[in-house]
Amino acid sequence: METTTQPVVPTKAKPLARPELLAPAGSLEKLKFAIHYGADAVYIGGQKYGLRSNADNFSFEEMKEGVEFANRYGAKVFVAANIYAHNEDIEGIEDYLRNLQDAGISAIIVADPAIIETCRRAAPKLEVHLSTQQSTMNWQAVQWWKENGVDRVVLAREASMQEILDIKKHVDIEIETFIHGAMCSSWSGRCVLSNHFTDRDSNRGGCCQSCRWKYDLFTESEENPLFEQGDEAFSMGSKDMCMIEHIPDMIRSGVDSFKIEGRMKSIHYVATVVNAYRQAIDSYLADPEGYVLKPEWVEEINKAANRPLNTGFFYEMPDHEDQIFAPEDKPNEYDFAGLVVGYDEAEGMVTVQQRNHFKPGQEVEFFGPGGTFFKQKVDTLWDEEGNELDAARHPMQRVRFRINHPVKEFDMMRKKSGKTK
């Protein structure tokens, strides 16, 4: 992970507050995993008005179930309603916001002033969190939003650490920043490539992620590409942000909510990343003077990483080294292989719900909330009727085998990616 760091010195000495760890939840199952693995709050999308129209967005019934689950853990559920609305989007927004309020949602994440004003009038129990889509960068803009009824401001991904410190110095309002996940190749929330190439509006939930495509170059007068046959195609994707190594700086900055990007990411990704940040945050707050970054936290993050990592705009302006122009070496990739659904302590036998193919003799890893972790090889494998298996081939099939350490329900099993047949 590449970074240039400068120590963060808070503008005023005061007790360190416990920041909220805010996780993505693209589905009800992901919501439960995110909270179980340590998220204080999750953000989801409804079936309207959000910027991830291709996610498994929530019905109102699913929202209610998600809120009930979150309440058992003392967690909150936020809903992204952060499109820039056109005239045809406005009809029905009042009823939609009232239904969110009735479902027990704690806050909406919103960019359009019209939706903010409508929420204040129609669903006053909902907190209003200003979306990063507004690209808020300075304390005067934050003050203006506070005076106009916003409860929290999600800063632009492009905000630096010094800008965050200045904002916290001048304005008494909750501040949320992204600490992990994808960065935009354009200025966040201002890209129109998707609109131009595919007629899918990135500011109305339809982004096709055209910045991740592969491109070639052509001269104006010739049809032949400039790249030679076999050359790597050109791309312009940015590296992903990762602040796991800089949790002390983030906490000392006074940021109220640490946000992880990724409502379209897998359950394995959500659980792994949330688990690592939860441990780092809790460890620092328990002993700021004796805090030490554990290598296993960084290793866990790398197991879930899809792209190379950096520290975004926090410490310096990204340059060409922070873009991905060609394939790069990736950390070891892992697949979510199974979910622990039962454990017989007397027999040392685990029951796993299969999520990816695995077989006897293959090394797997078990991990769970709070640092549960061990590796072992799969020995004899049985189905629920006691029949011996040569592999776990069928998605969602429940299989049993002996393990070397205790596990709990919701612990996960993963394997290195590979074409096991």
Side-chain angles (χ1 to χ4, degrees):
M1 193 185 312
E2 301 169 6
T3 179
T4 300
T5 65
Q6 300 172 353
V8 169
V9 179
T11 53
K12 295 179 182 179
K14 56 183 179 181
L16 293 172
R18 184 180 189 271
E20 172 186 270
L21 182 57
L22 176 59
S27 68
L28 185 57
E29 186 179 35
K30 291 175 188 177
L31 178 151
K32 293 178 179 180
F33 272 89
I35 293 172
H36 186 77
Y37 276 75
D40 300 300
V42 295
Y43 62 102
I44 68 175
Q47 295 179 343
K48 292 183 177 180
Y49 308 113
L51 288 184
R52 290 293 182 269
S53 59
N54 293 323
D56 294 327
N57 291 315
F58 285 61
S59 67
F60 290 120
E61 288 305 312
E62 289 173 323
M63 288 182 191
K64 290 176 182 178
E65 183 178 344
V67 168
E68 289 173 2
F69 182 88
N71 287 343
R72 294 201 294 271
Y73 285 79
K76 296 180 179 180
V77 180
F78 308 150
V79 170
N82 52 346
I83 67 166
Y84 284 106
H86 292 231
N87 288 328
E88 61 267 26
D89 297 319
I90 295 299
E91 184 177 357
I93 186 66
E94 289 194 15
D95 289 340
Y96 180 78
L97 294 171
R98 289 191 189 99
N99 285 332
L100 295 183
Q101 180 174 268
D102 293 342
I105 298 300
S106 295
I108 59 167
I109 305 167
V110 60
D112 195 312
I115 299 177
I116 294 173
E117 190 278 331
T118 303
C119 183
R120 284 299 181 197
R121 182 183 69 253
K125 292 181 182 178
L126 288 174
E127 285 190 7
V128 174
H129 297 178
L130 186 72
S131 172
T132 191
Q133 289 296 107
Q134 272 291 350
S135 298
T136 308
M137 298 281 294
N138 64 80
W139 70 263
Q140 289 179 311
V142 173
Q143 180 66 36
W144 189 90
W145 285 111
K146 178 185 177 181
E147 292 170 358
N148 282 272
V150 167
D151 301 290
R152 175 188 293 185
V153 173
V154 186
L155 297 181
R157 287 176 173 86
E158 293 77 13
S160 70
M161 188 67 77
Q162 186 56 56
E163 286 167 329
I164 293 170
L165 293 171
D166 290 342
I167 289 168
K168 292 298 294 185
K169 177 181 177 181
H170 286 93
V171 187
D172 183 18
I173 190 175
E174 288 188 4
I175 295 296
E176 178 180 309
T177 64
F178 283 90
I179 61 165
H180 193 92
M183 297 288 286
C184 189
S185 295
S186 175
W187 195 272
S188 296
R190 299 292 181 266
C191 179
V192 294
L193 287 178
S194 177
N195 307 55
H196 177 71
F197 289 146
T198 66
D199 199 28
R200 286 169 53 180
D201 192 338
S202 55
N203 287 315
R204 299 175 81 188
C207 181
C208 68
Q209 294 194 318
S210 47
C211 57
R212 305 292 184 191
W213 295 357
K214 301 296 183 181
Y215 292 87
D216 209 332
L217 297 175
F218 298 82
T219 61
E220 206 172 339
S221 58
E222 297 180 9
E223 295 183 1
N224 295 323
L226 296 180
F227 290 133
E228 298 287 342
Q229 186 174 5
D231 285 351
E232 292 292 349
F234 171 82
S235 68
M236 53 182 171
S238 58
K239 294 181 179 180
D240 284 1
M241 178 199 297
C242 175
M243 292 297 287
I244 190 69
E245 297 182 18
H246 307 282
I247 289 301
D249 277 2
M250 293 304 306
I251 293 176
R252 289 196 295 265
S253 74
V255 169
D256 300 277
S257 180
F258 295 175
K259 188 170 194 172
I260 297 168
E261 182 272 342
R263 277 193 284 142
M264 301 287 285
K265 297 291 179 67
S266 69
I267 291 171
H268 173 251
Y269 176 93
V270 172
T272 302
V273 173
V274 169
N275 198 20
Y277 278 102
R278 177 78 280 151
Q279 292 176 72
I281 292 167
D282 290 350
S283 180
Y284 180 75
L285 289 175
D287 184 11
E289 296 300 321
Y291 174 81
V292 176
L293 174 74
K294 292 185 178 180
E296 53 262 40
W297 299 336
V298 179
E299 185 179 349
E300 284 293 290
I301 291 291
N302 285 331
K303 288 176 181 177
N306 295 315
R307 288 182 280 268
L309 305 171
N310 66 11
T311 56
F313 287 76
F314 280 107
Y315 298 111
E316 62 183 356
M317 185 69 70
D319 60 17
H320 67 282
E321 296 291 340
D322 297 290
Q323 303 298 311
I324 305 171
F325 298 114
E328 296 193 19
D329 291 336
K330 293 184 177 182
N332 289 329
E333 295 183 4
Y334 285 77
D335 292 326
F336 175 25
L339 172 65
V340 174
V341 294
Y343 174 64
D344 186 327
E345 185 174 6
E347 295 186 4
M349 189 80 69
V350 66
T351 302
V352 170
Q353 184 187 73
Q354 191 260 34
R355 297 301 180 96
N356 259 302
H357 182 288
F358 66 94
K359 64 181 182 178
Q362 190 168 14
E363 185 177 73
V364 295
E365 296 180 357
F366 284 90
F367 71 99
T372 296
F373 179 85
F374 64 93
K375 299 180 182 180
Q376 74 165 71
K377 286 189 176 180
V378 178
D379 200 353
T380 308
L381 197 62
W382 297 275
D383 64 18
E384 287 189 291
E385 286 73 43
N387 301 307
E388 188 171 337
L389 304 171
D390 65 350
R393 290 190 173 84
H394 307 294
M396 309 304 283
Q397 179 186 19
R398 295 190 176 209
V399 298
R400 303 175 74 234
F401 59 98
R402 290 187 173 86
I403 56 174
N404 301 331
H405 301 279
V407 289
K408 298 178 181 178
E409 288 189 35
F410 268 97
D411 285 356
M412 299 174 74
M413 187 184 86
R414 64 182 165 218
K415 61 170 187 172
K416 281 190 178 181
S417 296
K419 304 300 181 183
T420 306
K421 300 274 184 172

